Amino acid sequence: MVIGDQFVVDRDALPQYVLDAADLEATSIYESDYADNNSLSGRPRTFDDIRKDTLLGKIGEYILMSQFNYTNDDAKWHDLISPGGTRTEVKTWRKHTMTESGTDREISKLRRRKSATRQWFFSTKVIVISYDTDTNVFTIESIHNI
């Protein structure tokens, strides 16, 4: 995997398990008193907004699983495991909403989760993927240690 790798994913060709996983995660977030229902910009999200966001994330995960042999991490609120065994968080965002400061803020938030009193987050890498809504292109933007 290389920063800058690009992929086009036809949503109509997605396996059903990707759609089901997005629905399940959206429901978990929407009904949770622990997860934040607001967008990165802070605006409240409806269930449909959350589902669109979780589907985008699941497509990012699908790309890594289908192209780079990552596997699903079964631990709650965790994403993938690399072929080498590294627990990996995947962040997939619409390209037009991405900023360097926003990405840095999210990476910092992930790092804080690892040192929180309530230990539950164990990923050590994060892969940031952008989605261009005009071209339907997903791009590996960055890879971070957390």
Side-chain angles (χ1 to χ4, degrees):
M1 167 182 353
V2 177
I3 293 171
D5 281 351
Q6 296 187 324
F7 307 90
V8 175
V9 177
D10 180 2
R11 288 186 188 209
D12 293 333
L14 285 171
Q16 186 63 41
Y17 79 85
V18 175
L19 303 173
D20 293 344
D23 286 340
L24 183 63
E25 185 171 315
T27 300
S28 294
I29 290 169
Y30 190 72
E31 294 176 351
S32 173
D33 60 355
Y34 187 74
D36 188 359
N37 285 347
N38 292 329
S39 69
L40 291 178
S41 65
R43 76 171 170 76
R45 296 185 296 174
T46 65
F47 177 78
D48 287 338
D49 293 333
I50 293 170
R51 187 184 183 285
K52 287 176 188 174
D53 290 345
T54 59
L55 179 57
L56 198 60
K58 291 301 177 185
I59 293 172
E61 293 174 19
Y62 170 72
I63 290 168
L64 295 178
M65 290 189 299
S66 63
Q67 299 295 316
F68 301 104
N69 297 318
Y70 279 69
T71 57
N72 191 46
D73 188 338
D74 291 329
K76 187 173 183 174
W77 305 115
H78 286 76
D79 293 337
L80 301 177
I81 299 173
S82 75
T86 302
R87 288 184 123 159
T88 305
E89 180 76 5
V90 181
K91 294 295 181 186
T92 309
W93 298 315
R94 288 165 193 83
K95 191 170 190 80
H96 70 274
T97 65
M98 289 180 71
T99 63
E100 186 176 339
S101 64
T103 300
D104 290 346
R105 197 169 34 255
E106 285 299 305
I107 301 302
S108 293
K109 186 189 312 181
L110 293 172
R111 287 182 177 134
R112 284 192 304 275
R113 284 182 186 168
K114 292 183 70 145
S115 60
T117 305
R118 189 170 148 193
Q119 294 281 315
W120 62 271
F121 185 73
F122 308 107
S123 293
T124 57
K125 291 272 187 199
V126 63
I127 298 173
V128 177
I129 301 173
S130 68
Y131 171 62
D132 188 319
T133 56
D134 294 329
T135 63
N136 200 36
V137 171
F138 290 81
T139 302
I140 308 257
E141 294 289 340
S142 56
I143 303 168
H144 305 265
N145 292 320
I146 52 174

